[in-house]
Amino acid sequence: MNQPATDYRPMWTALGLDLEGHDALLSAIPVLYHDAYLTQTSRPEGMGYFDFVMSEIHGLRIKELVDHKAAGGTVVGTFCLYVPEEIIRALGGQCVGLCAGAEWAYGEVERILPQNTCALIKSFMGFKLGKVCPYAEACDLVVGETTCDGKKKAYELLGELAPVHVMELPQMKRPEDRVLWRTEIERLVTRLEEVSGRKLTAENLARAIKEVNDKRRALQRLNAARKASPVPISGKDALLAVQVAFYDDVPRFTAMVNKIADELEARVAAGEGVAPANAPRVLVTGTPMSVPNWKVYDVIEKAGGVVVMEEMCTGSRYYSKLVDESPRDTAGMLDALTDKYLDINCACFTPNTARLDDVIRLANEYHADGIVQCDLQFCTPYQIEATSVGRAAQAAGLPTLRIDTDYSANDIGQLSTRVEAFLEMLE
Ligand code: BJ8
């Protein structure tokens, strides 16, 4: 991964970044990326696009966002799958995922958040307090949601540093909860209309629904190829594609992923793979993994396993369901968005048995030999639900390994030992 040739420092200064801290952060990513990604063999050629995207992670894409704002558009940050990107796009916004996957400014963070807060929350607060994330600094608005308690309360503190709109997400899926969620979707429309100075119309919303569905369809194609044996793409590369989906330009991303899907389909037809056909196949489920958190995938794949699917927000939960494109009026489209987004199975909901069904169904469809449950420490919803996932897997005859981790590298040795023993059991 080469460093960008363009000097982006004036742009970063104009965004208000702390250049010294930002330099330190940015110099760490190529090392991690090289070790996890560029040491792989038989990678699909199309992944070169993602190498380029990662080399310009705070460069070209940020410039595009800055230019978009200069042309009258908005940039809206999100932390969760429940926030509808379609509405942001329909109102001339670019949606960027702000979840971060690296420890930053934890000293400062722990002055305002308990030490035993999950790494995802500490990380996004650290990036904001440390002023090292150009995506966060480019935002006109940040949209939060009442999912877990940690996020909900952290948004109150984040609101002291940036404009924040919080959507109230119900925690059950009864008809009255849908009514609440439909109201929250409309409240988001009102807020985004104020911020953007534009009006939601049937035309701009239909276009945005189609564009985001096309992105999901491309990811569905790419991931469908992973059912094959040998598997034509590593789990790490498939994870990267979803991680980048949260902030890349939508039509360009869709075109590039479709190109990779073409390549993967040809590889499957030719029987070409990235791992031997007898490599243990693993499904990963749990909390999301944001850039540059590739730790557990790297451990699994360096130990000789291959991740063939993920039931995660940085995985199937992101792309597996489409928004109904048949409604013709705005109200019908907002209904379709309400239904699609409420149909995501996050552990913040109770009951959440549909997630257990998804885990087992995906493990079977992708011919997984075992399941790795990977949750962030101090994530109460997922860590408790891990018991139910473990029981469902046991009933389905699927061995599981449970990992509770964070963003540090301290546990890599111990994780490697446990993963190696688990993979041996699957062989
Ligand atoms: S839809 S998984 S993106 S909430 S890991 S911050 S839950 S304590 S990230 Fe999530 Fe939306 Fe659900 Fe997906 Fe809290 Fe747990 Fe931390 Fe989490």
Side-chain angles (χ1 to χ4, degrees):
M1 191 169 109
N2 299 320
Q3 283 297 315
T6 317
D7 180 13
Y8 291 115
R9 294 175 79 83
M11 175 179 78
W12 294 331
T13 306
L15 284 171
L17 292 191
D18 168 22
L19 286 189
E20 209 179 311
H22 182 252
D23 280 353
L25 175 71
L26 213 53
S27 63
I29 294 176
V31 180
L32 284 172
Y33 190 78
H34 183 275
D35 184 49
Y37 280 90
L38 303 183
T39 51
Q40 298 182 101
T41 51
S42 326
R43 280 179 95 202
E45 269 179 35
M47 287 307 294
Y49 172 67
F50 289 99
D51 294 342
F52 173 71
V53 167
M54 289 305 296
S55 72
E56 288 283 344
I57 186 166
H58 285 188
L60 188 59
R61 183 63 186 136
I62 299 298
K63 178 160 187 328
E64 289 176 351
L65 295 176
V66 168
D67 291 348
H68 171 74
K69 282 161 71 91
T74 54
V75 175
V76 177
T78 62
F79 295 98
C80 180
L81 240 50
Y82 285 98
V83 179
E85 178 174 6
E86 293 85 348
I87 297 175
I88 295 169
R89 287 188 70 75
L91 291 167
Q94 294 274 332
C95 182
V96 291
L98 297 180
C99 291
E103 295 182 346
W104 196 260
Y106 271 20
E108 258 186 276
V109 171
E110 287 173 10
R111 278 201 280 277
I112 58 169
L113 298 179
Q115 193 242 333
N116 59 353
T117 303
C118 91
L120 191 148
I121 297 172
K122 277 165 116 172
S123 177
F124 77 65
M125 284 304 283
F127 275 44
K128 185 67 197 169
L129 288 168
K131 294 197 169 124
V132 291
C133 177
Y135 292 92
E137 300 311 317
C139 284
D140 298 289
L141 181 71
V142 170
V143 182
E145 53 352 277
T146 57
T147 44
C148 66
D149 288 350
K151 270 184 169 178
K152 191 162 58 192
K153 299 310 285 182
Y155 294 142
E156 292 175 9
L157 300 174
L158 188 65
E160 295 167 6
L161 307 167
V164 175
H165 173 89
V166 177
M167 300 181 78
E168 182 176 353
L169 184 74
Q171 312 274 276
M172 298 178 85
K173 296 184 182 177
R174 302 160 304 180
E176 55 269 44
D177 299 309
R178 187 199 178 275
V179 172
L180 168 64
W181 186 233
R182 178 68 164 77
T183 311
E184 285 300 297
I185 298 248
E186 283 192 22
R187 216 166 57 82
L188 177 69
V189 171
T190 306
R191 182 71 191 264
L192 288 172
E193 284 182 337
E194 281 163 17
V195 171
S196 66
R198 301 181 192 207
K199 278 272 158 222
L200 194 74
T201 65
E203 289 69 35
N204 60 30
L205 188 53
R207 179 186 38 75
I209 288 175
K210 164 88 171 55
E211 282 172 351
V212 181
N213 270 350
D214 284 347
K215 169 163 69 164
R216 294 192 188 104
R217 279 189 272 262
L219 284 166
Q220 287 174 2
R221 275 189 70 205
L222 181 150
N223 284 285
R226 299 167 74 195
K227 290 178 185 166
S229 176
V231 64
I233 182 169
S234 68
K236 255 184 297 201
D237 277 329
L239 170 67
L240 183 65
V242 180
Q243 288 176 330
V244 170
F246 284 92
Y247 60 86
D248 201 7
D249 174 75
V250 174
R252 178 178 62 213
F253 175 90
T254 303
M256 297 315 291
V257 171
N258 272 319
K259 228 169 119 187
I260 296 174
D262 291 341
E263 187 185 348
L264 298 189
E265 286 161 13
R267 282 186 149 207
V268 171
E272 280 171 34
V274 289
N278 62 354
R281 299 170 67 94
V282 171
L283 175 132
V284 175
T285 183
T287 46
M289 298 179 188
S290 309
V291 173
N293 178 15
W294 305 300
K295 180 168 74 174
V296 170
Y297 275 58
D298 198 38
V299 165
I300 295 171
E301 298 196 328
K302 282 189 175 144
V306 60
V307 179
V308 292
M309 181 40 51
E310 39 285 307
E311 190 284 319
M312 292 195 302
C313 287
T314 42
S316 61
R317 273 183 237 141
Y318 180 73
Y319 57 75
S320 62
K321 290 165 187 160
L322 302 177
V323 178
D324 180 4
E325 291 180 35
S326 61
R328 289 284 150 252
D329 60 343
T330 316
M333 291 177 207
L334 292 179
D335 277 334
L337 287 167
T338 303
D339 292 334
K340 188 268 171 202
Y341 281 92
L342 200 56
D343 199 20
I344 297 165
N345 299 319
C346 174
C348 297
F349 279 81
T350 185
N352 194 33
T353 48
R355 175 172 170 234
L356 312 185
D357 299 342
D358 282 347
V359 170
I360 305 306
R361 177 182 53 78
L362 288 169
N364 289 329
E365 281 178 11
Y366 284 78
H367 316 293
D369 301 305
I371 295 175
V372 171
Q373 290 205 64
C374 183
D375 297 314
L376 286 173
Q377 272 162 11
F378 312 120
C379 172
T380 313
Y382 278 87
Q383 286 186 300
I384 294 182
E385 198 163 280
T387 302
S388 309
V389 174
R391 286 179 186 156
Q394 195 180 21
L398 287 158
T400 51
L401 173 69
R402 194 172 155 181
I403 293 174
D404 296 300
T405 187
D406 57 18
Y407 292 166
S408 81
N410 296 343
D411 59 353
I412 289 182
Q414 190 213 44
L415 283 179
S416 301
T417 309
R418 294 183 62 211
V419 165
E420 279 162 23
F422 181 66
L423 297 178
E424 258 173 45
M425 200 179 83
L426 301 183
E427 276 167 5

